[in-house]
Amino acid sequence: VPTIGIGDGGNEIGMGTIGWDVIHQNIPQGGRIACRVATQHTIVAGVSNWGAWALAGLWRKLAGIPPLPGVREESDILELMAREGPLVDGVTGRRLATVDGLAWYHHARVYGQIVEALR
């Protein structure tokens, strides 16, 4: 079974594909948080969600199923998960509709670009 890791800060599964020294030297506290679990393929993105959206969108396109939801729908999902579910921001630890400390409008721009690129 092929394995894929998606990471942004060195602590995610798959980031073990990248050398510990690279994570240690380039990520704040990288030596302490670096994941040593490698995958066959590693997607590195500024925010893990961006890499996951791109992979999911490409998979949907290749599978011939409907594209990713629109920006508004994705925002609604994030807000619902923060309000009703267990979602907490990975940086702040707070139950907010933010990702890695960034407000939705930062993600909306990138998400929109991914959706557009996959048309």
Side-chain angles (χ1 to χ4, degrees), residues 11-81:
N11 62 318
E12 298 87 357
I13 289 178
M15 296 301 281
T17 306
I18 299 169
W20 180 88
D21 56 330
V22 173
I23 302 295
H24 175 70
Q25 293 171 14
N26 293 286
I27 302 292
Q29 298 191 31
R32 198 176 118 235
I33 64 159
C35 179
R36 306 257 179 149
V37 178
T39 53
Q40 291 170 319
H41 307 281
T42 302
I43 297 171
V44 179
V47 173
S48 295
N49 297 45
W50 302 347
W53 288 331
L55 177 61
L58 180 59
W59 178 82
R60 293 172 74 99
K61 182 176 182 126
L62 294 173
I65 59 177
L68 292 170
V71 172
R72 183 71 222 160
E73 291 170 285
E74 188 65 23
S75 173
D76 290 346
I77 292 167
L78 182 65
E79 288 178 20
L80 176 69
M81 289 179 9

Side-chain angles (χ1 to χ4, degrees), residues 82 87-98:
L87 179 79
V88 296
D89 185 286
V91 170
T92 68
R94 298 177 63 202
R95 258 176 89 166
L96 298 171
T98 57

